[in-house]
Amino acid sequence: MQAQQQNQPSVPAAYVEFPGLEPSTRSAAGTRTWLARGQNFVVAYSSAVEGDELARDDQADEYVVVLPHEGCAVTVRTPDDKRTVSGQAVIVMPPGSSSVVADADCDVVRLFTVASDEELARRSLNQDGYERPNTRVAPWRPWPDPPGGHRIRAYPLSEAPVDPGRFGRIFRCSTFMVNFLNPRIGVRDPEALSPHQHDDFEQCSLAVEGDFVHHIRTPWTRRMSDWLPDDHRECGSPSVAVIPPTAVHTTQAVGPGRNQLIDIFCPPRADFSARPGLVLNADEYPVPGPSGEDGA
């Protein structure tokens, strides 16, 4: 793996700004869906029409539904269960057949693993950047299944108020970790940013309200031909930024009003999961064992 990483050319961040782009799909009822991907995941961002159904048949693993705005309202269904959820929320959907029905005109985000739907990945608007896998990304493997069994699990943010002592509201399942970052009103202080990097996983930053600048620096290698210039990309909402491993990065809210960012990781982050109390639903999902096997 280390030799492969050394031979991997530097990879720039990927950006998909949905406004102005043709949707990847459009339903008969008029729901528009834009697809963007990382190496392990696909983000399906839908501008849903009231009454329209977003269905999945024979889903191989858990997927996640994110309701990004207060005005969202959906009914999620499986053959054995039905839940109505409104407002901002994270919903874990089980494998098998299921659907999401829009109870109002609203935006609905669904997160799928590439392992469960390679065709969605190939139809993503940034597919060109993934024709060659990035060997710096650790091989995909899911986390353990929930001991309580697969079922619909809904986490309305109204039940997890913003805590100034946290940097977000974090939930995980066997396939994803979602961090609903605390919303920021106005511009983030340029003297109080948080540049950092991840050694072997991508970070997907989904902007759902406001405006942001993604500041990204690619570390130099021995080969000058791999060097990339610093990147300061301004993106509005909704948009996706996929930040590659080893890139030093920080995101600055620059909109004058409310700025809301959601960070997505596939599979979940071990470092966040190791911090007691940080993941709000940690009691429902075990972490992998020391050798990666199922277990606590």
Side-chain angles (χ1 to χ4, degrees):
M1 178 72 173
Q2 188 172 3
Q4 287 181 314
Q5 289 179 341
Q6 290 173 349
N7 293 326
Q8 172 75 47
S10 296
V11 176
Y15 304 99
V16 182
E17 298 184 75
F18 302 133
L21 294 177
E22 281 297 311
S24 304
T25 64
R26 189 187 301 264
S27 75
T31 293
R32 296 167 295 155
T33 299
W34 293 263
L35 301 173
R37 67 166 295 180
Q39 185 147 305
N40 295 330
F41 61 87
V42 177
V43 176
Y45 195 104
S46 297
S47 178
V49 173
E50 182 178 359
D52 208 358
E53 180 180 42
L54 305 171
R56 296 292 293 176
D57 296 320
D58 301 320
Q59 174 70 23
D61 54 20
E62 288 185 313
Y63 72 99
V64 175
V65 177
V66 177
L67 304 184
H69 303 126
E70 292 290 352
C72 294
V74 300
T75 297
V76 289
R77 296 191 178 106
T78 68
D80 305 314
D81 197 5
K82 180 174 78 170
R83 298 283 298 275
T84 297
V85 185
S86 60
Q88 293 176 308
V90 175
I91 308 166
V92 178
M93 299 296 290
S97 298
S98 64
S99 66
V100 181
V101 178
D103 295 331
D105 291 349
C106 62
D107 290 349
V108 177
V109 183
R110 290 169 296 157
L111 309 176
F112 304 105
T113 66
V114 169
S116 73
D117 200 326
E118 294 183 359
E119 177 58 27
L120 274 185
R122 285 192 290 269
R123 290 159 53 197
S124 293
L125 295 164
N126 61 330
Q127 165 63 16
D128 288 352
Y130 288 90
E131 296 295 342
R132 177 182 176 182
N134 185 345
T135 57
R136 292 192 175 98
V137 178
W140 157 254
R141 65 183 303 172
W143 279 30
D145 289 335
H150 289 297
R151 58 181 173 82
I152 297 172
R153 288 177 165 87
Y155 306 106
L157 263 61
S158 60
E159 298 177 5
V162 170
D163 181 346
R166 307 176 161 270
F167 52 86
R169 287 163 283 182
I170 302 176
F171 305 90
R172 74 167 185 252
C173 64
S174 63
T175 51
F176 284 92
M177 175 176 281
V178 176
N179 182 5
F180 236 108
L181 292 161
N182 296 340
R184 181 179 296 274
I185 305 301
V187 177
R188 183 178 182 181
D189 182 356
E191 302 302 313
L193 302 180
S194 55
H196 61 286
Q197 65 187 79
H198 310 302
D199 289 339
D200 63 358
F201 60 86
E202 293 177 313
Q203 175 174 315
C204 175
S205 290
L206 171 65
V208 297
E209 189 173 359
D211 299 287
F212 299 86
V213 174
H214 301 285
H215 302 285
I216 298 175
R217 170 167 289 181
T218 302
W220 291 352
T221 67
R222 294 176 60 185
R223 298 179 301 202
M224 193 173 181
S225 59
D226 282 346
W227 296 3
L228 298 175
D230 286 353
D231 188 4
H232 305 280
R233 177 68 174 263
E234 184 166 358
C235 293
S237 298
S239 64
V240 160
V242 183
I243 301 163
T246 76
V248 179
H249 59 280
T250 188
T251 298
Q252 180 185 13
V254 296
R258 179 183 169 98
N259 299 282
Q260 178 70 70
L261 200 66
I262 302 171
D263 283 344
I264 298 160
F265 306 95
C266 178
R269 289 179 60 161
D271 57 346
F272 281 1
S273 296
R275 296 170 60 176
L278 188 62
V279 179
L280 295 176
N281 66 334
D283 59 333
E284 297 188 77
Y285 284 94
V287 300
S291 300
E293 71 273 11
D294 288 1

